[in-house]
Amino acid sequence: RKEVEQDPGPFNVPEGATVAFNCTYSNSASQSFFWYRQDCRKEPKLLMSVYSSGNEDGRFTAQLNRASQYISLLIRDSKLSDSATYLCAVNTNAGKSTFGDGTTLTVKP
Amino acid sequence: NAGVTQTPKFQVLKTGQSMTLQCAQDMNHNSMYWYRQDPGMGLRLIYYSASEGTTDKGEVPNGYNVSRLNKREFSLRLESAAPSQTSVYFCASIMGQGGAYEQYFGPGTRLTVT
């Protein structure tokens, strides 16, 4: 079993739709959690950090459930520009990061 | 402030050749990482360096060596390239030690081994 698993997708949604991605992790010692966005043939860039209390940034909401060991990302009112691959990442306190395989989102007009 | 830079951007090697991928960051970050990303897959950690002078193996270290030359630079060496090492290689750095902070990535090196 992989340490970090994501919905494989792809997700194809119309503009304006709400879409949610989930990510589960197996290492209970994991300390920090992130969502990254990766455009085609580009490097990943931080989208959001994920906190136990949940956090929101505009149309994006991230949640962490430590008891069930999963994190989620909700995108509301999808835009064409949201089309990308979304990677979840889990860090241990030793500084090691493990990434999921990514979920590809395509937003269509 | 260039962030994380990688050279070269593209490289084609023949099986058995060697090469070094260079990575440098100007953000005074302590920790640095090397990942590979194969088509349709996530990032797999090859090696990381929590601080200057230390290196540790990640998930897929076989066939690679690393050097943390100083705080700024972290290089990845392929001693004898194999077709299975065809991939996109990303270098990343992180502020501080431990896992509390996000990673900053370089633009990647696209390596093909024939």
Side-chain angles (χ1 to χ4, degrees), chain A residues 31-32 34 36 38 41-44 46 91-97 99-101, chain B residues 33 35 37 41-43 45 48 90 94 98-103 105-107 110:
Chain A
Q31 179 191 41
S32 306
F34 306 91
Y36 289 80
Q38 185 174 27
R41 301 181 67 78
K42 299 281 192 179
E43 71 273 25
L46 180 70
N91 290 7
T92 67
N93 60 6
K96 181 181 171 185
S97 286
F99 284 78
D101 286 346
Chain B
Y33 303 79
Y35 295 91
Q37 187 175 37
M41 295 186 69
L43 297 157
L45 182 64
Y48 67 107
F90 289 104
I94 189 169
Y101 302 101
E102 72 274 17
Q103 299 196 10
F105 286 85
R110 283 159 180 76

